Amino acid sequence: MTLLDLWLTRSIPMCLLLQSLVLMALCFPSASMCPKGCICLRDPHLHGLNVTCSQSRLKEIPPSLPIDTVLLRLDHNQIGAVPDLAFHGLRLLRELNLSYNAVETLGEGAFSGIEGTLQVLDLSHNRITSVHRDAFARLKAHVIVDDNPWHCDCALQQAIGGMAHNHEASTRVLCRSSELRDQEGRPFLAVDADLCNLTKRTTDYAMLVTMFGWFAMVISYVVYYVRQNQEDARRHLEYLKSLPSKPKKPDEADDISTVV
């Protein structure tokens, strides 16, 4: 065996080892990049990471998610809130699964930064009762909101109005409670009333009642003040009448006799 043959024999396994290491680096990101309790796999077809954090007993959204995350599964956890800008920087995110958690409300910036790329947003089976009126305003994704205890009010009506491209999601919103008692348990789209004007009318009525209360209080005080003064004047007059008459002087009596 020549020196060239010996070199080639040793270099081929080394090349195969290097290729394997490169493939592992591409397919499996380093442990420092992947959040604790999650599994991160690189999907060559999606040109990004598939991050799965399902059933990891998470109580909050992991703070350091890989910026090239394409699919993010956070379902079946104990996440209670979605802070504003929670997913900011995930510019490749296409699918976000937050189903089967304990989320109760959504703020205006809950999905800020991913509006342009997100295609599917699953919020089903949570505890969502209310959302900011602009929570879904800029989203183009298909939103799934089944099985949430929605409170149907003005803010929700405005939020649903901003989901014109998500008519199917709108039809699945059921009112667990409502500003109108007769709407409880019914689909939200069955609400014919303008809940925003209803709220305004309720506020105006409350202000009117408050103003009437203040006016009645002022009138009562004026009546009390007048009656109290009348009582004081009557007592003073009775006191003056009870005083003894002033006796006449002798000179005054003589003058009277002379005149007569």
Side-chain angles (χ1 to χ4, degrees):
M1 179 179 294
T2 63
L3 292 175
L4 179 60
D5 294 335
L6 182 62
W7 181 83
L8 290 174
T9 303
R10 292 184 176 181
S11 61
I12 290 176
M14 184 64 67
C15 292
L16 293 176
L17 178 61
L18 289 175
Q19 289 178 355
S20 299
L21 291 175
V22 170
L23 289 175
M24 290 179 64
L26 290 175
C27 296
F28 299 93
S30 63
S32 61
M33 294 175 57
C34 194
K36 183 179 179 180
C38 303
I39 299 175
C40 302
L41 298 176
R42 188 168 298 279
D43 191 329
H45 300 290
L46 298 176
H47 305 288
L49 289 179
N50 183 350
V51 180
T52 301
C53 307
S54 306
Q55 299 181 347
S56 299
R57 298 182 180 179
L58 298 177
K59 295 185 178 180
E60 60 182 15
I61 296 172
S64 301
L65 293 165
I67 60 173
D68 54 346
T69 300
V70 177
L71 303 178
L72 178 58
R73 294 182 173 88
L74 297 168
D75 55 290
H76 291 86
N77 282 291
Q78 303 167 20
I79 298 173
V82 181
D84 288 350
L85 305 177
F87 307 103
H88 189 72
L90 305 183
R91 302 184 181 279
L92 301 178
L93 190 61
R94 298 184 185 180
E95 181 178 333
L96 174 58
N97 190 342
L98 280 164
S99 62
Y100 292 94
N101 276 284
V103 179
E104 297 182 357
T105 184
L106 295 172
E108 179 181 7
F111 307 108
S112 178
I114 58 175
E115 303 95 339
T117 59
L118 195 64
Q119 298 177 3
V120 179
L121 172 61
D122 193 346
L123 294 168
S124 62
H125 301 280
N126 274 274
R127 302 175 185 173
I128 303 174
T129 57
S130 61
V131 297
H132 190 278
R133 63 182 184 181
D134 295 326
F136 306 122
R138 292 176 292 275
L139 282 177
K140 299 178 181 178
H142 172 63
V143 183
I144 305 171
V145 293
D146 304 24
D147 293 305
N148 280 285
W150 294 101
H151 175 69
C152 296
D153 57 2
C154 174
L156 181 59
Q157 194 167 49
Q158 291 177 327
I160 295 297
M163 296 171 61
H165 53 285
N166 264 304
H167 182 75
E168 180 182 354
S170 303
T171 59
R172 295 180 178 273
V173 175
L174 299 179
C175 300
R176 177 71 62 85
S177 59
S178 175
E179 299 290 335
L180 300 173
R181 293 184 179 274
D182 60 343
Q183 300 296 335
E184 295 179 0
R186 299 179 60 189
F188 185 75
L189 290 184
V191 178
D192 297 328
D194 187 344
L195 296 180
C196 295
N197 283 337
L198 176 65
T199 303
K200 184 177 183 299
R201 288 197 301 270
T202 303
T203 304
D204 292 343
Y205 177 76
M207 291 180 62
L208 181 62
V209 171
T210 303
M211 291 176 62
F212 179 78
W214 278 102
F215 181 74
M217 187 177 66
V218 171
I219 293 298
S220 300
Y221 176 77
V222 171
V223 171
Y224 171 79
Y225 180 78
V226 170
R227 289 183 177 179
Q228 187 68 28
N229 283 348
Q230 288 178 344
E231 183 67 20
D232 292 342
R234 186 184 63 79
R235 290 176 181 176
H236 184 67
L237 182 60
E238 290 179 354
Y239 171 75
L240 293 177
K241 289 180 179 181
S242 65
L243 292 175
S245 301
K246 186 178 181 182
K248 297 179 181 180
K249 295 181 180 180
D251 295 340
E252 293 178 354
D254 294 340
D255 293 340
I256 295 175
S257 300
T258 304
V259 173
V260 174

